[in-house]
Amino acid sequence: MPEKIDFSKVSFLIVDTNPLSAQLVRDILGMLDVTAVRTATNIERAQNVLRRDGVDVVITEHALGDESGVDLIDWIRNAADSPDRMTPVIMLTANSAQNYVMTARDKGVSEFLAKPFTVEGLYRRLVSVIARPRSFVNIDDYFGPDRRRRQVPYDGPERRSSDG
Amino acid sequence: MAKRAQIIPPRPDLKRKAVNFSKGFDLKLTPEVLQKLETVVHKSQDKFTADIAERLTDMRRSIAQNAADASLHPYMIKALSDASREIKGAGGTIGFDLLTHIGKSLNDFLDGMSNLSARQLEVCTLHIDAMYVVLANRITGAGGAVEAELMRAFDEACAKFREVS
């Protein structure tokens, strides 16, 4: 029997300054039977929601007016007052140039999806963070999901504790 | 000396409460569910096109109000850049791929600029006019040969007149 996701059990926070864009994501989640959706238009409000209510998954834009969704990720992953450093974060953004992707990845984004997006692309990211979560890595200057998605041959010294 | 990396297994809480074998949606999207989800996007098309039209109007207004005064260019460029990024993100989502291409072209063109010459302003205006035409004629998808030629012309114009000021 195949695995299923009961999205009605999952709560979301959408962080986007564009109300239409946030509403579209909310409507898509609603079609998936999600009932617990919060929205925020800036980092401070997002932090308040996360501190007060806590959510299972954050979906954030990169461009948040004069702020950046990367700063929100940085706060979630590294701040002393972060309520949950391992909260899955999907970055859904029109800022899709490689430098944006790399910066988000290096701050600990769980999944990245460029706008314009397809519902299929969004669904795949939701499945990934809920049903196929990655291990986290904690090292000098990084705390976040394991950035090694592909298994490629590596001849250098093993530095990870799990590598023995 | 760098410390060894600590590997933390994924926390099972979320998976445990949401993943099961009886209720919910298959991990692989079925055609039926995909169709339902696409209906949601389709229903939002009118709101998005109205929003894009408003952004285009605002872009024209911003140029009309600020172009003559170079000290206002940073403000104008920020407005044009923000609007073009939003259009780039929204266009393709609701089926207007060409809007995304033109929005991206303008957004890339403005990247890093703080002032615009008369020629550069003209490049911006042409992008905005083209987006109006796409929207007014409801040209969905990437268009055909004419649209491909239009994008090639934009690429050339941007390359020719793009010098960070």
Side-chain angles (χ1 to χ4, degrees), chain A residues 2-12 29-36 56-57 123 126-127 130-131, chain B residues 13-27:
Chain A
E3 282 181 309
K4 292 176 182 293
I5 298 180
D6 181 358
F7 286 100
S8 69
K9 300 271 176 63
V10 186
S11 59
F12 289 84
L29 293 175
M31 194 58 89
L32 293 170
D33 297 337
V34 175
T35 54
D56 295 316
V57 179
Y123 190 84
L126 296 175
V127 169
I130 296 168
Chain B
D13 329 12
L14 181 56
K15 186 172 178 178
R16 196 177 287 149
K17 75 173 175 182
V19 179
N20 65 82
F21 291 97
S22 57
K23 186 186 174 202
F25 294 84
D26 292 347
L27 300 196

Side-chain angles (χ1 to χ4, degrees), chain A residues 42-68:
Chain A
N42 61 42
I43 291 179
E44 188 185 352
R45 286 179 183 163
Q47 289 170 331
N48 288 340
V49 171
L50 290 167
R51 279 197 204 100
R52 195 177 54 233
D53 307 327
V55 297
D56 295 316
V57 179
V58 174
I59 300 175
T60 184
E61 236 298 349
H62 180 282
L64 299 173
D66 294 331
E67 301 178 312
S68 161

Side-chain angles (χ1 to χ4, degrees), chain A residues 25-123:
Chain A
V25 176
R26 181 191 271 270
D27 290 346
I28 292 169
L29 293 175
M31 194 58 89
L32 293 170
D33 297 337
V34 175
T35 54
V37 184
R38 306 294 304 273
T39 55
T41 52
N42 61 42
I43 291 179
E44 188 185 352
R45 286 179 183 163
Q47 289 170 331
N48 288 340
V49 171
L50 290 167
R51 279 197 204 100
R52 195 177 54 233
D53 307 327
V55 297
D56 295 316
V57 179
V58 174
I59 300 175
T60 184
E61 236 298 349
H62 180 282
L64 299 173
D66 294 331
E67 301 178 312
S68 161
V70 169
D71 294 331
L72 177 62
I73 296 172
D74 191 29
W75 177 79
I76 290 171
R77 297 283 181 252
N78 301 308
D81 62 338
S82 170
D84 181 359
R85 297 178 70 198
M86 292 176 76
T87 303
V89 182
I90 299 171
M91 182 160 272
L92 175 59
T93 179
N95 282 342
S96 53
Q98 192 180 13
N99 58 321
Y100 291 112
V101 180
M102 301 298 272
T103 306
R105 188 199 67 165
D106 291 342
K107 286 293 180 187
V109 74
S110 308
E111 295 289 335
F112 193 101
L113 181 58
K115 291 177 183 173
F117 69 99
T118 62
V119 286
E120 203 167 3
L122 178 59
Y123 190 84

Side-chain angles (χ1 to χ4, degrees), chain A residues 138-141 159, chain B residues 1-6:
Chain A
N138 186 17
I139 191 152
D140 304 328
D141 57 352
R159 294 173 51 228
Chain B
M1 185 178 155
K3 70 174 182 182
R4 291 167 70 89
Q6 178 192 10

